Amino acid sequence: MSAAALITGQPGPAQRRAMAKAITLLESTRLDHREQADALLTELLPHTGRSLRLGISGVPGVGKSTFIEALGLFLIARGHRVAVLAVDPSSSVSGGSILGDKTRMERLSMDERAYIRPSPSSGTLGGVAEKTREALLVCEAAGYDIVIIETVGVGQSEIAVAGMTDMYCLLQLPNAGDDLQAIKKGVMELADLVLINKADLDRAAATRAQAQIASSLRLYGLHGHPEHAHHDKSIWHPQVMPLSALKADGIEAFWGQVERFREIQQANGRFAAKRQQQAQAWMWERIHAGLREQFSQAPAVRAILAETTAQVLRGTLAASTAARLLLHKFSGDEHHA
C-alpha cells in the first residue's frame, strides 16, 4: 500500500506512522527526497483543504501549550480530530529541536484522536518551520479537521502563521493592557481574536486589558479601512475575550467565536479568497527561497562573491552595482557583467 493510501486511510497506528514518515520526508533537504515529497504532496492534494486552520501565538510564558491542550481535549470530546504543529526552537548548540511540546501537552498527546508534531524551526525566519505548510496538508489528508499551528515567541512568526491559517489568535497576559506600546501594532492588526489568558489571576487587570485592547483593535481596523465600520455585520470584526486555560474556563466561549468567525467569513467569500491568496503567496515564497539557494551555489557567483563583498565593505563599489554585477553573472549575461 502506498504512503498516500496509508495517510488517507483509516485512523490508527499505521496511519500515524505513515504521517510521521511523510513529514520527515518533507523536512529532508536531499534532492531525491524532495522529488519523492513533491510526488506525495501531489497525490495527497485532493484530500486536503477540509480542515479549519488555527494559528496560536503569544509571548513565552503566556500559556500557549496549556491553552492548546485544553482546547484540543474540548474539541476531541465533541468528536473532532485535532492536529497540532508546534514549531519548536532549535538548539543553538546542537542544531536539534528542544521538543518540549509533547511534555507540556501530556494529556493531549496520549489521546489517539490527537496528533502532535513538534518541528525544529532550524533558523527559519520568524521561527515557523519551513515545511509547516506541507505538514499541514499531510494532517488534513489524514482526516484531522482541526489543525492548530503554535509558533515560537513573538516577532516575524506572527506574519508567517497568519499567512498559512484561516484564523489567527493572539494570547496576552492580564497586564498587557497596562502598556499598549509593548504590543506591536503589526501583530495586533493581524489578530482575528485576542485572548487574555490567566484572567483568573487578576480579574480587574484582565478587564482593563480587554477594554484597552478592544479599543486599539477598533482604531487599527478603521485606520484606512472605512468599510470595517462595526455596523457592517457581513464581515468579521476582531474580538477580545478573557479565559483561563489552566482551568479550561472560557474554552467553550472561545470555540463559539471561532465557529462564528468561520460562518461569517464563508458567507462573505473571504474564507475561500484567503486560502487562494495564501496558496499563491506560498508558491512565490518557495520560488524566492529556491532562487536564493541557486544563486548562492552558482559557480560564476561564488567565483567573485568574496571579492565583490570585500569591495562593498571597503566602500569602493556601490551595493546596488555589486548586486547587479552578481545577478548578471548568475544569469550568464556576460555583456552586462
Side-chain angles (χ1 to χ4, degrees):
M1 188 179 288
S2 70
L6 283 170
I7 290 168
T8 58
Q10 291 298 314
Q15 185 193 55
R16 296 170 75 86
R17 282 195 298 272
M19 289 175 65
K21 288 180 179 179
I23 295 173
T24 300
L25 179 68
L26 291 167
E27 290 174 347
S28 174
T29 55
R30 279 176 45 175
L31 183 60
D32 58 331
H33 285 175
R34 185 64 260 173
E35 290 171 352
Q36 292 175 41
D38 287 341
L40 177 62
L41 279 177
T42 301
E43 203 171 341
L44 292 177
L45 210 55
H47 304 277
T48 64
R50 300 185 186 98
S51 78
L52 177 71
R53 304 166 182 174
L54 200 60
I56 306 292
S57 294
V59 295
V62 75
K64 294 189 295 294
S65 295
T66 304
F67 169 70
I68 291 170
E69 180 172 57
L71 175 62
L73 293 170
F74 169 81
L75 292 171
I76 284 169
R78 294 184 62 157
H80 295 284
R81 295 180 70 209
V82 180
V84 181
L85 299 175
V87 183
D88 211 55
S90 294
S91 167
S92 58
V93 178
S94 66
S97 180
I98 297 168
L99 302 179
D101 285 285
K102 283 198 174 181
T103 305
R104 296 198 298 271
M105 301 183 205
E106 188 175 358
R107 287 171 62 205
L108 186 61
S109 64
M110 291 171 65
D111 198 298
E112 292 182 352
R113 294 161 293 180
Y115 181 81
I116 300 176
R117 174 75 184 204
S119 296
S121 57
S122 305
T124 305
L125 177 64
V128 177
E130 183 182 353
K131 305 301 183 184
T132 300
R133 289 183 180 88
E134 294 174 350
L136 184 154
L137 295 178
V138 171
C139 293
E140 287 186 338
Y144 289 87
D145 59 326
I146 309 291
V147 182
I148 299 171
I149 301 176
E150 177 193 3
T151 63
V152 177
V154 169
Q156 288 297 313
S157 57
E158 272 61 39
I159 297 169
V161 76
M164 68 176 80
T165 55
D166 303 312
M167 186 178 193
Y168 166 60
C169 303
L170 176 66
L171 266 66
Q172 294 285 356
L173 292 167
N175 60 3
D178 295 339
D179 187 7
L180 288 172
Q181 296 304 314
I183 305 171
K184 294 181 180 178
K185 181 174 180 286
V187 172
M188 294 297 291
E189 286 179 326
L190 289 171
D192 296 304
L193 191 58
V194 179
L195 306 171
I196 314 292
N197 193 23
K198 306 182 183 181
D200 56 308
L201 298 180
D202 190 338
R203 292 287 179 186
T207 301
R208 283 198 306 272
Q210 184 177 0
Q212 292 180 20
I213 293 173
S215 176
S216 297
L217 286 173
R218 279 195 294 272
L219 288 173
Y220 295 157
L222 288 170
H223 182 67
H225 301 282
E227 73 278 10
H228 286 187
H230 273 247
H231 58 76
D232 186 351
K233 303 298 182 184
S234 68
I235 64 173
W236 171 261
H237 302 287
Q239 305 291 314
V240 187
M241 60 183 298
L243 57 81
S244 171
L246 189 62
K247 296 182 177 180
D249 181 20
I251 298 296
E252 187 171 359
F254 163 76
W255 189 247
Q257 290 282 33
V258 173
E259 290 184 320
R260 181 169 161 263
F261 168 86
R262 178 160 55 178
E263 184 181 327
I264 290 173
Q265 295 297 84
Q266 285 179 337
N268 63 28
R270 295 190 179 201
F271 194 92
K274 187 177 182 182
R275 286 263 179 112
Q276 291 176 339
Q277 291 165 5
Q278 289 174 347
Q280 184 178 19
W282 180 11
M283 179 187 76
W284 280 107
E285 180 187 310
R286 300 320 307 149
I287 290 171
H288 292 155
L291 285 172
R292 281 197 302 271
E293 186 176 350
Q294 289 181 28
F295 177 84
S296 63
Q297 297 299 320
V301 170
R302 296 179 71 173
I304 65 167
L305 184 58
E307 177 56 30
T308 305
T309 303
Q311 290 179 43
V312 171
L313 293 175
R314 289 196 300 266
T316 58
L317 184 65
S320 57
T321 305
R324 278 194 293 273
L325 176 66
L326 288 166
L327 285 169
H328 288 316
K329 283 288 184 184
F330 175 64
S331 64
D333 190 350
E334 297 298 328
H335 175 71
H336 288 95

